[in-house]
């Protein structure tokens, strides 16, 4: 506790210094001169549980609403999903070791199960204004310094203003409307939903209640006559309640609407809840009282003022957000609306301030979508308004879920990692059943997709899915590496002992049971795939299933190394440690192909799509740590060759993976090239035509379509260009591009719990300091200069570089 207080005081000192310097009115703001016309222009608010996209309309405001636990479906019994699957395992392995890949591709489809369920939109709150005329001085903004959306304009001698925020302390969305001038506020409110729902006035509140579907088909599967199925007995229920906290005018209620007239100031409170009662509880039969929950949040604040609500919200949010600041220059560009800045940057005009804003926006989005005790971020984080969203807006665990959390620790937001760890705990429970039923193994396993019900079986609708994605089984392995990363940054032994280690060991147990010796004497995965990619054998066969893909082995190697370090810290399970050490020695080594590339497949085969978006075989460089240009230079060169072949042209999230990989290779030129491609205008017809990544006007990233992962992966990439700590030392500015000749960053965290601050000019550091959270030896590298510091917890040190 004492060390935490030291760190809090340190952060407050930084904040006070920043405030003293002063900021432009647009710093840390996304702002626009017209309302949003579609989702990708609206501005996101969230508190980790509930969220809204604010459109900022003039005659009608729209808030599209989400509650993070509102999913279709109900708990899945993994015992009942394809009980015959395990009968095909040996046959598939036999085909693979006979090099009969076509048979393996065919037979493995018998090891598939049902698709995941979908994350659903709750509905909309519409606020219709009774006003006439054309407004002037319209401004719509999201202030990420405070997590508040503002809309303002002048009309008929009156200044109108709307403020909206999603409060985590009070678990409500708060809306304040004011009119200053000769006219007053006159408007009506109503709820709508694309789900089965009804709204009505109840007492002094407007209430909407409804049900999520019991089943929603993926948007890419159109074989069912009724793709959205309801069952009000077993489905998830939801409720939203709108209540007036303050109104200096008149309030009236109709059957399905609330009206305000002749007011100068109105404060509305919006509460949402579902019947979700846990991943293993039927939300219809044993669900929570969703209306009671929604009303309880309102009850707790009925005597609070708007000022009190706002103050608590800002204090809570800034406790996290203010830990990091970044300045890359070009502050003068802040006077342009954000969409114009994006357009200019996409056309070649430098805007380092926009890159800094994007980085802080990635942190804002994580704070808004992932809070302790809640659910992890899905494909769209928290914000979705489609019943059958792209890829079900689920947890896609062959890259996207993990990418959402890549930059969490460096960004000084370790608390936001916790929902993922809790989710891994739930996956381990269902995954233990899947491991036994599909692979005859101990431990736990998870495949390509999962959902709020923690399903872990292979998807594909029992044979329809392509094995290249449906039958990949390394999600549990990859996810478990996040557990060690959190410990590496925080040094929280209690977390390691109680939560991380048991889950890591379960994933290790699966690997030890699943690995099988091939004819070359190596322990390999069989069946195996390289996520979503296709090989071409020397005989010309195009397939997906093989044994011992590089991606599989790299992830297992990383987990094994992490596990051994964890077990050594805790001094546990010597028998398992020895088994892991023995297995590590028998894993196949990385191989350099005839093109000088890092082989993706066990054999030196061609790729059916050389510029494929996935680069899973490069996992060992990033996010893994078993390849580096310092310790394995030949392999690092092979990774570079693979990246040259793949190119930086790709979808949004795939571009951001490349940013991180180039940064690990200390190639600032190519890292920045990939970053520039991420900042392309996603609405550009040519970008849309080619299906490439970019940013929408609200800076949401596109796969396409919208996915949140590149927002988080891009943020991770920017921090990786500025700070690295994976090689047992902290490297400052390891991939600084010439386009960032001067700048300053404060609060980034290195492994070991060292909080770094740097200022540079003409591409050279002029000041750097480190704050030690935990004490201990701190090794610093900057260029060819090394420095070692023996630090004490709670102390700040100026570096001599």
């Amino acid at each position: 506790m004492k060390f935490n207080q030291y760190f809090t005081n340190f952060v407050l000192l930084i904040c006070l210094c920043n405030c003293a310097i002063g900021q432009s009115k647009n710093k840390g703001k996304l702002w626009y001169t017209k309302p949003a016309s579609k989702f990708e222009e609206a501005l996101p608010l969230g508190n980790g549980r509930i969220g809204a996209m604010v459109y900022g309309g003039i005659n009608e405001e729209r808030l599209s609403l989400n509650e993070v636990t509102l999913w279709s479906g109900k708990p899945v019994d993994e015992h009942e999903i394809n009980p015959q699957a395990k009968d095909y395992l040996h046959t598939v392995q036999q085909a693979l070791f006979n090099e009969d890949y076509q048979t393996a591709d065919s037979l493995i489809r018998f090891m598939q199960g049902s698709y995941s369920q979908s994350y659903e939109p709750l509905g909309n709150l519409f606020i219709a204004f009774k006003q006439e005329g054309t407004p002037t001085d319209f401004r719509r903004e999201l202030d990420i310094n405070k997590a508040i959306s503002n809309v303002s304009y002048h009309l008929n001698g009156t200044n109108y203003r709307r403020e909206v925020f999603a409060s985590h302390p009070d678990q409500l969305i708060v809306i304040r409307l004011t009119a200053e001038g000769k006219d007053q506020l006159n408007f009506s409110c109503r709820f709508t939903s694309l789900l089965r729902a009804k709204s009505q006035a109840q007492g002094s509140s407007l209430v909407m209640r409804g049900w999520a579907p019991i089943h929603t088909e993926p948007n890419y599967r159109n074989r069912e006559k009724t793709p959205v199925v309801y069952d009000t007995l077993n489905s998830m229920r939801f409720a939203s309640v709108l209540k007036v906290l303050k109104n200096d005018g008149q309030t009236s209620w109709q059957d399905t609407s609330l009206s305000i007239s002749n007011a100068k100031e109105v404060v509305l409170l919006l509460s949402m809840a579902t019947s979700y009662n846990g991943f293993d509880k039927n939300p219809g039969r044993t669900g929570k009282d969703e209306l009671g929950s929604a009303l309880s949040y309102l009850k707790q604040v009925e005597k609070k003022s708007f000022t009190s609500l706002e103050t608590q919200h800002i204090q809570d949010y800034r406790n996290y957000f203010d830990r990091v600041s970044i300045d890359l220059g070009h502050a003068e560009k802040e006077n342009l609306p954000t969409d114009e800045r994006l357009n200019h940057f996409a056309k070649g005009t430098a805007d380092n301030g926009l890159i800094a804003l994007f980085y802080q926006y990635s942190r804002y989005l994580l704070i808004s979508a992932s809070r302790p005790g809640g659910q992890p971020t899905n494909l769209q984080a928290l914000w979705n308004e489609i019943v059958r969203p792209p890829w079900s807006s689920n947890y896609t665990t062959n890259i996207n879920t993990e990418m959402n959390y890549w930059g969490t620790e460096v960004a000084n937001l370790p608390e936001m990692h916790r929902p993922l760890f809790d989710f891994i705990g739930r996956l381990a429970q269902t995954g233990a059943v899947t491991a036994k039923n599909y692979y005859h193994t101990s431990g736990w396993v998870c495949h390509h997709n999962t959902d709020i019900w923690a399903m872990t079986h292979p998807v594909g609708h029992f044979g329809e899915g392509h094995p290249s994605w449906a039958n990949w089984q390394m999600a549990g392995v990859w996810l478990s590496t996040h557990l060690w990363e959190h410990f590496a940054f925080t040094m929280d032994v209690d977390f390691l002992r109680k939560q991380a280690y048991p889950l890591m060991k379960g994933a290790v147990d699966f690997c030890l049971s699943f690995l099988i010796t091939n004819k070359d004497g190596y322990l390999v995965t069989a069946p195996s795939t390289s996520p979503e990619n296709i090989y071409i054998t020397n005989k010309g066969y195009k397939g997906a299933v093989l044994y011992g893909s590089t991606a599989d082995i790299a992830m297992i190697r990383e987990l094994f190394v992490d596990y051994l370090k964890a077990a050594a810290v805790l001094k546990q399970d010597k028998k398992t440690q020895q088994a892991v050490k023995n297995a590590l020695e028998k894993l196949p080594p990385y191989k350099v192909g005839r093109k000088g590339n890092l082989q993706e497949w066990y054999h030196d085969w061609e790729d059916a799509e050389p510029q494929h978006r996935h680069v899973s075989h490069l996992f060992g460089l990033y996010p893994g740590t078993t390849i580096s240009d310092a310790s394995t230079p030949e392999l690092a060169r092979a990774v570079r060759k693979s990246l040259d072949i793949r190119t930086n042209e790709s979808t949004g999230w795939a571009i951001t993976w490349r940013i991180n990989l180039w940064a690990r290779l200390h190639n600032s030129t190519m890292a920045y090239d990939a970053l520039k491609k991420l900042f392309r205008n996603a609405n550009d017809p040519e970008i849309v035509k080619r299906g490439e990544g970019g940013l929408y006007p609200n800076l949401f990233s596109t796969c396409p379509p919208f996915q949140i992962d590149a927002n988080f992966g891009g943020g991770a990439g920017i921090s990786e260009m500025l700070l690295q700590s994976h090689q047992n030392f902290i490297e400052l500015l390891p991939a600084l591009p010439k386009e960032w000749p001067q700048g300053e960053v404060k609060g980034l965290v290195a492994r070991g719990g060292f909080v770094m601050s740097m200022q540079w000019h003409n591409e050279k550091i002029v000041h750097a300091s480190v704050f030690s959270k935990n004490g201990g030896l701190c090794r610093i590298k900057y260029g060819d200069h090394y420095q070692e510091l023996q630090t004490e917890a709670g102390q700040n040190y100026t570096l001599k570089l």
Side-chain angles (χ1 to χ4, degrees), residues 490-788:
T490 64
M491 309 303 289
D492 185 344
V493 176
D494 195 51
F495 162 79
L496 184 67
R497 178 181 294 107
K498 293 180 180 179
Q499 187 169 17
Y501 182 81
L503 297 174
M504 293 173 67
K505 185 176 183 300
V508 165
D509 288 342
F510 168 76
C511 293
L512 292 174
S513 301
F514 181 60
L515 287 166
I516 185 171
T517 303
N518 73 350
K519 61 185 178 183
D520 297 325
Y522 291 119
L523 285 175
V524 297
T525 50
S528 173
T529 61
S530 191
E532 303 186 33
N533 205 359
I534 300 295
Y535 58 74
I536 305 175
T537 69
N538 295 334
K539 295 181 179 179
Y541 175 71
K542 294 183 179 181
V545 183
L546 72 158
Y547 55 83
S549 75
T550 300
D552 282 5
I553 302 304
M555 291 173 194
I556 291 173
R557 182 178 283 113
E558 192 75 25
L559 174 63
F560 280 178
V561 171
D562 289 348
Y563 169 77
L564 289 175
K565 289 185 286 190
V569 170
L570 299 177
K571 300 179 181 178
Q572 291 188 16
D573 297 311
K574 289 185 178 180
K575 184 177 180 181
T576 303
Q577 287 187 56
Q578 190 58 53
V580 169
K581 291 175 183 177
N582 294 340
L584 268 171
E585 293 178 358
K586 296 180 180 179
L587 293 178
Y590 292 112
K591 301 175 185 176
V592 178
R594 61 183 179 276
K595 296 178 182 179
N597 60 306
L598 190 73
Q599 279 185 207
E600 183 163 0
W601 317 102
Y602 186 87
H603 301 289
D604 194 5
W605 291 333
E606 293 288 337
D607 296 326
E609 187 181 345
Q611 284 78 49
H612 197 269
R613 60 195 175 277
H614 281 263
V615 284
S616 305
H617 59 306
L618 308 184
F619 178 96
L621 178 68
Y622 186 92
T625 61
T626 56
I627 296 176
S628 73
D629 50 7
S631 61
T632 57
E634 181 185 4
L635 294 177
R637 287 192 293 271
V639 170
R640 171 162 185 157
K641 183 61 177 179
S642 294
L643 284 171
D644 287 340
I645 294 171
R646 281 291 209 265
T647 79
N648 279 346
E649 298 289 347
S650 199
T651 60
W653 63 262
I655 290 173
T656 68
W657 199 343
R658 286 154 171 80
I659 297 170
N660 284 277
L661 287 163
W662 285 119
R664 282 277 172 97
L665 290 173
H666 297 84
N667 193 321
S668 60
T669 300
M670 293 304 294
Y672 186 74
D673 176 76
L675 185 62
K676 285 195 299 182
K677 287 178 169 56
L678 178 63
F679 276 72
R680 294 179 295 201
N681 185 342
N683 289 324
D684 184 323
E686 285 301 312
I687 298 299
V688 174
K689 181 180 179 180
R690 296 197 299 265
E692 294 174 345
L695 299 179
Y696 290 111
N698 63 1
L699 300 189
F700 270 177
S701 60
T702 175
C703 179
F706 161 59
Q707 281 184 193
I708 202 69
D709 37 35
N711 285 99
F712 297 132
I718 292 168
S719 61
E720 201 70 19
M721 295 167 75
L722 297 173
L723 181 73
Q724 296 179 18
S725 62
H726 60 288
Q727 299 185 83
N728 296 319
F729 57 81
I730 300 167
E731 188 168 9
L732 309 182
L733 305 184
L736 183 74
K738 68 181 188 311
E739 288 82 1
W740 303 346
Q742 49 266 336
E744 183 177 22
V745 63
K746 298 178 180 179
L748 296 183
V749 181
R751 290 166 180 82
F754 297 105
V755 184
M756 308 303 301
S757 295
M758 298 173 282
Q759 186 177 6
W760 64 95
H761 185 70
N762 292 331
E763 302 178 46
K764 301 293 184 183
I765 288 181
V766 295
H767 177 76
S769 64
V770 55
F771 175 84
S772 178
K773 290 185 180 182
N774 305 299
L777 184 63
C778 179
R779 299 182 178 92
I780 305 290
K781 179 180 184 293
Y782 173 58
D784 295 328
H785 177 81
Y786 287 85
Q787 181 177 354
E788 288 191 357

Side-chain angles (χ1 to χ4, degrees), residues 33-236:
T33 58
K34 59 183 179 181
S37 62
K38 54 186 177 181
F39 178 86
E40 293 83 5
E41 296 174 354
L43 296 172
L45 297 171
N47 67 4
R49 186 182 66 84
I50 58 176
M53 295 293 289
V54 183
Y55 279 68
I58 297 169
N59 294 322
E60 185 172 62
E61 175 63 279
R62 176 189 176 189
L63 275 65
S64 68
L65 308 175
N66 289 105
E67 209 277 3
V68 74
T69 61
L70 186 58
W71 287 67
S72 63
K74 62 180 182 178
V76 58
D77 186 349
E78 291 292 357
H79 290 94
E80 298 178 356
I81 302 295
N82 197 352
Q84 288 77 41
K86 60 180 177 293
D87 298 337
Y88 291 88
L89 176 63
H90 178 70
T91 309
V92 169
Q93 290 174 332
Q94 198 171 35
L96 288 172
F97 291 140
N98 288 332
E99 315 297 331
D100 185 357
Y101 301 105
Q102 186 171 0
T103 296
D105 273 343
S106 176
L107 290 175
I108 202 169
R109 291 176 181 265
F110 291 100
M111 298 181 70
Q112 294 176 6
S114 57
Y115 284 112
S116 77
Q117 292 301 325
S118 296
Y119 179 54
E120 300 290 0
L122 187 143
N124 300 280
L125 172 65
F126 286 100
I127 305 175
F129 299 95
K130 298 176 182 178
Q131 56 191 25
E132 296 180 356
T134 302
T136 59
D137 302 323
F138 179 88
R139 180 181 171 105
R140 176 174 64 96
E141 70 176 30
L142 174 62
D143 185 349
I144 64 172
N145 302 300
K146 299 178 181 178
I148 296 178
S149 167
N150 295 296
V151 175
S152 60
Y153 55 90
H154 184 81
L155 179 64
N156 298 330
T158 305
N159 291 318
Y160 292 95
R161 182 178 177 86
R162 285 173 237 148
E163 302 165 73
V164 188
F165 58 86
S167 168
H168 184 266
D170 294 305
Q171 289 297 304
L172 299 167
I173 291 177
V174 181
I175 307 165
R176 181 176 182 247
L177 307 95
T178 59
E180 295 182 0
K182 69 183 187 69
D183 287 341
Q184 298 171 312
L185 291 165
N186 293 279
F187 61 85
S188 62
C189 305
R190 61 188 174 91
F191 284 121
T192 67
S193 180
L194 294 175
L195 305 180
R196 286 191 178 176
K198 293 181 179 180
S199 58
Q200 64 180 46
Q202 291 185 9
S204 59
S205 302
L206 183 64
V207 177
M208 179 171 68
R209 303 184 72 177
W211 296 265
I214 193 64
H215 177 72
T216 302
E217 281 290 302
N219 68 306
Y220 48 83
R221 188 174 187 271
N222 295 298
R223 300 190 180 189
E224 304 293 335
K225 292 182 179 179
T226 308
V228 180
V229 180
Y230 285 90
D231 171 3
T232 55
L233 183 62
N234 295 291
S235 294
M236 184 92 72

Side-chain angles (χ1 to χ4, degrees), residues 244-276:
V244 179
L245 179 68
K246 180 180 181 180
N247 176 18
D248 57 11
Q250 292 80 48
T251 305
S252 61
W253 305 89
Q254 290 73 43
D255 288 343
T256 59
S257 66
L258 154 69
S259 294
I260 301 290
S261 56
N262 304 320
K264 286 293 186 179
E265 180 183 10
V266 177
V267 178
L268 304 174
L269 302 178
L270 174 59
S271 183
M272 293 177 274
T274 76
S275 61
Y276 177 76

Side-chain angles (χ1 to χ4, degrees), residues 273-313:
T274 76
S275 61
Y276 177 76
N277 197 23
F279 78 103
D280 55 352
K281 302 288 194 308
N282 184 298
R285 295 177 183 270
T286 59
K288 291 184 178 179
D289 176 3
E290 70 284 0
L291 181 58
S293 296
L295 291 173
S296 69
Y297 296 129
L298 293 167
K299 179 71 173 176
Q300 293 169 13
V301 302
E302 59 185 10
K303 295 183 180 180
K304 287 187 178 182
S305 66
F306 173 80
T307 300
S308 174
L309 292 167
E310 183 182 49
T311 299
Q312 285 185 295
H313 158 70

